[in-house]
Amino acid sequence: MKKLFQIVFCFMAVLSFSQSTEAIKFKGNITRFDGVTYKGFNVLDQRQDKSIGILPFNENKEMKEVVFSTTPENDFKAWFSRGNTLDGKNELVLILKKLKLSTGESDGKKTNGNMDFSAQIFQKEGDKYRFLYKKDTAFAFQDKRVSELMVKNIPVIFSEFIKKAYTLEPAKDAVLLSNLSDYEAYVKNKYEAFKSDKLKDGIYLDFNSFLNQNPLKGNFELERNDKGEVTKAIKIENDKKEKISANKMFAYVENGKAYKKTMSGFIEINKNENGFYIIANRGQIFPADYNSTYGMFGLIGAVAGSIEQASKQKKMKNEDKQEVYIDNLTGIRFSG
């Protein structure tokens, strides 16, 4: 019996060491913008789980481990340098927080896939770092060969992420390398909204003004419709009337209570040790995807597409609600 266990153990060990791999191929170039150049590109891999995923590939569903060709830093550096003139005075620094692939249910024809993605990007000036952009989300895929599709799209997603950083101004506050280990916690501790026990009444046009507790100046009065829903804020000063529509508000605070604007109206903002959040589902916050294929069929197709989109939206609004946090860096996101 002991010998049998030894044989089984050795067999399992051979299988584990002979696991096939599928390397991420960083093809193409990252589109750069005129007048914006960087002298280098660095990566800090802060993933708690370094495994990207073991997925079924090809017709025979061979299990392969998705990997970087070398290391994240080497792969990204080589990719970035292929399409960029390295003559700027600053560097870009990508902080990789999460990259996880998994497959789910299948209807026999197509299989669902999921990519958990989280990354931040900074501009490095000397020994200081200034925040540029962050994305923390999950991408859903569906295809007959969903594993291949997800791996193929990894460079596409990172390319769009890096390109976005080119279009943004870096944060005013520069930090040291030591602050990057948990930049969100560092930033959170600086916001007045977290330090104060009571929120200031007023109108907030963006999440930065809310977290810094800088409402619009002046005495704005909230105007409501017959359902009691806030539709606008009005300020009358020196015989001049200023109107702020609800669609332009990030949030408002009334009698110390805060409310966040969503596509379904204003929803109360709560606070716990993790930050500010609302209780909602995706259907209340995000529009359902529109199937562009219907556009090929003219007006009739557009009507059919709108009906399908409305049906999807209704279904999404019936999903379970969860805590949706106001992100300390970019605004709103789904937790987890």
Side-chain angles (χ1 to χ4, degrees), residues 126-300:
D127 63 348
K128 297 289 184 68
Y129 299 80
R130 298 172 69 191
F131 174 78
L132 282 168
Y133 186 54
K134 168 197 169 180
K135 197 168 188 68
D136 184 4
T137 190
F139 296 97
F141 298 84
Q142 189 180 62
D143 197 75
K144 182 179 180 180
R145 295 189 174 184
V146 73
S147 300
E148 287 88 340
L149 180 65
M150 288 193 291
V151 173
K152 183 179 180 180
N153 273 279
I154 289 175
V156 177
I157 290 171
F158 273 107
S159 177
E160 291 300 315
F161 174 75
I162 295 168
K163 282 160 57 178
K164 179 72 174 180
Y166 272 90
T167 67
L168 302 172
E169 289 292 325
K172 294 180 180 179
D173 295 333
V175 299
L176 297 172
L177 178 63
S178 58
N179 299 126
L180 300 188
S181 59
D182 194 348
Y183 182 71
E184 291 187 53
Y186 169 82
V187 170
K188 178 180 174 182
N189 291 330
K190 298 184 66 177
Y191 282 128
E192 190 63 33
F194 290 106
K195 295 189 291 184
S196 177
D197 293 331
K198 187 177 180 180
L199 299 174
K200 294 180 182 178
D201 284 2
I203 308 300
Y204 298 87
L205 298 184
D206 55 58
F207 80 100
N208 264 320
S209 63
F210 174 76
L211 294 178
N212 286 302
Q213 285 295 278
N214 290 323
L216 285 177
K217 294 181 179 179
N219 295 317
F220 282 89
E221 295 289 336
L222 295 171
E223 188 169 295
R224 292 174 164 85
N225 59 20
D226 294 339
K227 296 179 181 179
E229 301 167 331
V230 172
T231 58
K232 63 174 71 75
I234 299 175
K235 179 182 73 171
I236 300 176
E237 195 171 89
N238 298 325
D239 295 328
K240 292 183 179 180
K241 182 182 289 188
E242 181 180 353
K243 296 181 181 180
I244 304 292
S245 72
N247 290 331
K248 292 184 178 181
M249 300 180 200
F250 173 80
Y252 72 85
V253 177
E254 185 178 41
N255 299 322
K257 277 284 186 180
Y259 299 85
K260 170 76 179 72
K261 180 68 176 72
T262 72
M263 61 177 288
S264 301
F266 286 94
I267 299 177
E268 184 178 344
I269 299 175
N270 302 288
K271 181 182 179 183
N272 61 18
E273 66 277 4
N274 295 319
F276 290 97
Y277 66 93
I278 62 176
I279 302 295
N281 57 36
R282 290 184 183 275
Q284 293 177 285
I285 301 173
F286 304 118
D289 293 333
Y290 179 81
N291 189 343
S292 59
T293 304
Y294 285 111
M296 299 169 58
F297 302 98
L299 179 60
I300 295 175

Side-chain angles (χ1 to χ4, degrees), residues 84-125:
N84 287 268
T85 304
L86 306 180
D87 57 1
K89 64 178 182 177
N90 300 313
E91 298 177 67
L92 279 179
V93 178
L94 171 72
I95 298 183
L96 187 57
K97 308 288 283 188
K98 184 187 293 184
L99 181 61
K100 196 74 175 176
L101 306 182
S102 60
T103 56
E105 296 180 355
S106 174
D107 61 5
K109 295 181 180 180
K110 295 182 178 181
T111 302
N112 294 327
N114 190 76
M115 180 191 300
D116 287 326
F117 177 95
S118 182
Q120 301 169 358
I121 196 160
F122 290 78
Q123 178 174 290
K124 183 183 179 185
E125 305 171 0

